[in-house]
Amino acid sequence: MHEKIIILDFGSQTTQLIARRVRELNTYCEIVPYNKFPKENANVKGVILSGSPFSVYDEKAFKADLSEIRGKYPVLGICYGAQFISHTSGGKVEPAGTREYGRAHLTEINNQDALLKHIEKDVQVWMSHGDTITKIPSNFEIIASTPQVKIAAYCVKDEKTWGVQFHPEVFHTECGLQILDNFLNICGCKKDWTPASFIEETVSKLKEQLGNDNVILALSGGVDSSVTAVLLNRAIGKNLTCVFVDNGLLRKNEFEKVLEDYEHLGLHVIGVDAKAKFYSELAGVTDPEKKRKIIGSGFIDIFNQEAKKLQDIKWLGQGTIYPDIIESLSITGHVIKSHHNVGGLPKEMNLKLVEPLRLLFKDEVRSVGIELGMMPHLIKRHPFPGPGLGIRILGDITPEKVRILQEADDIYIQGLRDWDLYDKVWQAGTILLPVRSVGVMGDERTYENTIALRAVTSTDAMTADWAHLPYDFLAKMSNEIINKVKGVNRVVYDISSKPPATIEWE
């Protein structure tokens, strides 16, 4: 079992970022609610306390009993975590005169301290807090200050406990990764958690978990389900059956291309052409939520039909990843949102779940895929919505509208690849608007459809900015789409960020 760092989540927006940074340093870590320190803790090497939206003296503030943690494990408190350790030890935390937010510099620093080794004076850090520690207990020692914050970092004498008032996990803290690396060294971490070690350990666990049982997996063509399939295939081979459904809302030629890719990977895949069923059930439906439900339940019907044809299926494979698991739990431990890639499967299927990626972030899934030898175009594929082009055709869906959008989308996505822009954006796609406008082609007046192009930059899809694509590229795409796609005479580019807009239009 891998050694791990436990991150106690007090509700900070950057808790996931702490975990991602620790994993960048080849160390496994888990996020748990602030009051749920694991009872099984033999392989825990250290504990990090996250920030929080609360003040430590708020009645509603999250409070944890650290008596079983401090002194037993190295501890690092970040922002609220640092204030909480000081406050519960007899120190003083008060509202700052002005909210301390943004860049600051460590003008006083004790780099003889184990946490601040190799950190130079005047390095930039990132502050984000409304309170400040004004007094620390007598057995605490200040190890860093900024011009505005005297107690920017502290250590506890004769105890492996530290607190930093700034956020080492964020990009703007220039020494952040070094500080976290120093903490992992204090914890005695081996830093041997790599994609290769994950694959070896996971395949071994899957063999043990599944034995000679049969597994069914729904493939989407996306990264998560594809990597899940390859891992399961390594573990159980012919006992895995994958189902890939063409709902008529995939990208141009995607059904054929993806089946070909999966064949290269040695997967046993049942391809189901269900275009007619979906087009028939979606006819005349314009409400986005109704479209999603029809597409979702239609997929479940087909998946269920295919599963019934197979003998003795015991497990359902899913490409659930770690952010899904974290989002499924509030920090009080209550489920607030369920995440199932194949939500709503009939109970009578009575299948157990196997989710080999449930502890990985998206970037880690991609690294594992590369390590597995999967083709880069499968691994670097942009996210694509489950309902596919169904939510990129605003209004009702017809086979003709799907043809128009597939053609336009194919030109746009290929253009991004040709101009070396595809890997520079998080997600791109075309939207068919329910707007027709007047145009002129040759000597004739036209009255045809409008295509919107969308491209965003993001790291996690929680927030996204519109991609500032070159004008020459946009001009070329507009020209090609209007000239080559029958039924389109106008192309626009979406320059909305999330929030307030969403990445998809429906």
Side-chain angles (χ1 to χ4, degrees):
M1 195 67 176
H2 267 290
E3 60 187 24
K4 64 184 170 190
I5 298 292
I6 292 294
I7 299 167
L8 295 182
D9 180 15
F10 286 85
S12 169
Q13 289 180 321
T14 59
T15 301
Q16 282 195 36
L17 201 48
I18 301 170
R20 288 170 75 156
R21 294 286 176 262
V22 169
R23 290 186 181 193
E24 273 176 46
L25 295 162
N26 295 339
T27 302
Y28 179 65
C29 62
E30 283 180 16
I31 296 170
V32 299
Y34 66 94
N35 56 354
K36 303 279 182 189
F37 188 75
K39 290 184 173 65
E40 295 292 319
N41 49 35
N43 54 338
V44 173
K45 302 290 284 183
V47 182
I48 297 175
L49 279 57
S50 82
S52 173
F54 292 110
S55 295
V56 289
Y57 43 78
D58 281 355
E59 277 183 33
K60 292 180 182 173
F62 297 133
K63 298 176 175 67
D65 180 4
L66 302 181
S67 59
E68 294 296 307
I69 297 171
R70 280 183 60 184
K72 186 173 178 185
Y73 307 98
V75 175
L76 172 62
I78 294 174
C79 198
Y80 175 94
Q83 294 169 3
F84 182 76
I85 292 168
S86 176
H87 176 69
T88 51
S89 304
K92 205 168 191 181
V93 176
E94 296 179 281
T98 54
R99 183 171 158 76
E100 289 153 344
Y101 182 83
R103 291 172 179 81
H105 292 86
L106 298 180
T107 45
E108 299 293 327
I109 190 161
N110 173 8
N111 51 19
Q112 299 306 301
D113 182 87
L115 186 72
L116 300 182
K117 260 188 183 174
H118 314 299
I119 308 296
E120 298 300 324
K121 197 175 166 184
D122 290 324
V123 72
Q124 177 181 288
V125 296
W126 189 262
M127 296 283 186
S128 178
H129 55 97
D131 299 329
T132 197
I133 302 167
T134 53
K135 187 184 171 198
I136 48 174
S138 57
N139 63 328
F140 284 40
E141 183 182 318
I142 299 170
I143 54 173
S145 306
T146 74
Q148 282 75 38
V149 182
K150 183 166 175 54
I151 307 166
Y154 63 73
C155 66
V156 181
K157 296 172 196 168
D158 303 321
E159 188 184 308
K160 289 184 176 178
T161 297
W162 286 263
V164 293
Q165 186 64 82
F166 51 89
H167 287 269
E169 71 274 21
V170 304
F171 173 75
H172 295 94
T173 294
E174 293 170 346
C175 56
L177 210 56
Q178 180 66 61
I179 288 173
L180 292 172
D181 193 41
N182 288 343
F183 181 66
L184 299 180
N185 289 336
I186 290 165
C187 296
C189 294
K190 295 192 190 96
K191 302 181 203 157
D192 58 357
W193 197 69
T194 61
S197 71
F198 171 82
I199 292 164
E200 187 184 339
E201 190 176 317
T202 303
V203 168
S204 168
K205 275 185 189 165
L206 287 170
K207 282 179 175 172
E208 192 181 318
Q209 182 185 8
L210 302 171
N212 205 32
D213 291 352
N214 291 320
V215 179
I216 190 169
L217 169 73
L219 289 170
S220 68
V223 180
D224 302 338
S225 69
S226 300
V227 174
T228 299
V230 175
L231 277 171
L232 283 166
N233 191 47
R234 281 228 176 158
I236 59 169
K238 62 179 174 29
N239 287 19
L240 171 68
T241 301
C242 304
V243 178
F244 184 45
V245 178
D246 184 357
N247 56 12
L249 302 165
L250 302 173
R251 288 180 152 144
K252 186 180 176 184
N253 300 328
E254 185 172 21
F255 188 59
E256 296 76 17
K257 283 180 191 165
V258 171
L259 283 176
E260 199 179 300
D261 284 340
Y262 286 146
E263 200 179 317
H264 283 308
L265 292 169
L267 300 177
H268 169 47
V269 184
I270 297 168
V272 184
D273 181 350
K275 290 195 284 282
K277 169 187 167 69
F278 283 90
Y279 289 157
S280 156
E281 291 179 2
L282 287 164
V285 179
T286 57
D287 178 75
E289 199 51 36
K290 278 188 186 162
K291 287 197 282 188
R292 283 178 183 275
K293 282 182 176 159
I294 289 167
I295 296 163
S297 64
F299 173 79
I300 288 162
D301 290 345
I302 291 163
F303 190 77
N304 196 20
Q305 282 167 25
E306 293 303 322
K308 281 178 178 168
K309 295 176 192 173
L310 300 167
Q311 296 299 308
D312 198 26
I313 297 288
K314 297 228 174 108
W315 297 83
L316 171 67
Q318 285 195 168
T320 311
I321 62 173
Y322 198 39
D324 299 339
I325 305 293
I326 299 165
E327 286 169 19
S328 295
L329 285 175
S330 71
I331 51 176
T332 53
H334 298 302
V335 174
I336 52 173
K337 181 177 169 190
S338 65
H339 271 272
H340 285 293
N341 297 357
V342 192
L345 282 171
K347 283 197 174 74
E348 69 266 17
M349 284 181 78
N350 202 25
L351 299 176
K352 293 182 279 187
L353 276 183
V354 56
E355 301 169 306
L357 304 180
R358 68 195 310 276
L359 296 174
L360 297 189
F361 288 105
K362 181 70 103 179
D363 49 346
E364 294 174 316
V365 176
R366 289 196 167 105
S367 300
V368 166
I370 296 291
E371 186 70 32
L372 284 164
M374 293 171 69
M375 290 155 283
H377 71 267
L378 262 179
I379 297 305
K380 294 182 177 178
R381 187 178 188 262
H382 288 175
F384 189 61
L389 300 181
I391 56 165
R392 292 183 180 175
I393 295 170
L394 275 53
D396 69 322
I397 294 166
T398 66
E400 173 61 5
K401 287 181 179 178
V402 173
R403 178 200 65 79
I404 290 171
L405 192 55
Q406 282 179 333
E407 297 286 345
D409 181 80
D410 190 54
I411 290 167
Y412 182 42
I413 298 299
Q414 192 53 50
L416 286 166
R417 292 188 192 281
D418 293 345
W419 284 60
D420 198 25
L421 295 167
Y422 186 85
D423 292 336
K424 292 174 183 159
V425 301
W426 166 268
Q427 188 171 343
T430 48
I431 300 96
L432 180 63
L433 305 186
V435 173
R436 300 179 86 191
S437 64
V438 174
V440 179
M441 286 192 181
D443 295 326
E444 290 184 17
R445 178 179 179 277
T446 60
Y447 189 59
E448 291 181 335
N449 298 285
T450 304
I451 289 282
L453 305 180
R454 181 78 161 135
V456 297
T457 55
S458 180
T459 52
D460 54 14
M462 301 299 286
T463 60
D465 192 15
W466 60 278
H468 296 233
L469 299 176
Y471 288 156
D472 289 353
F473 169 75
L474 292 172
K476 172 90 169 151
M477 291 303 98
S478 173
N479 197 37
E480 278 202 37
I481 289 168
I482 291 169
N483 284 334
K484 292 181 179 176
V485 183
K486 191 174 182 299
V488 177
N489 68 354
R490 195 174 294 269
V491 172
V492 297
Y493 186 55
D494 180 351
I495 57 167
S496 320
S497 295
K498 175 187 179 182
T502 49
I503 295 174
E504 298 293 342
W505 280 42
E506 284 194 342

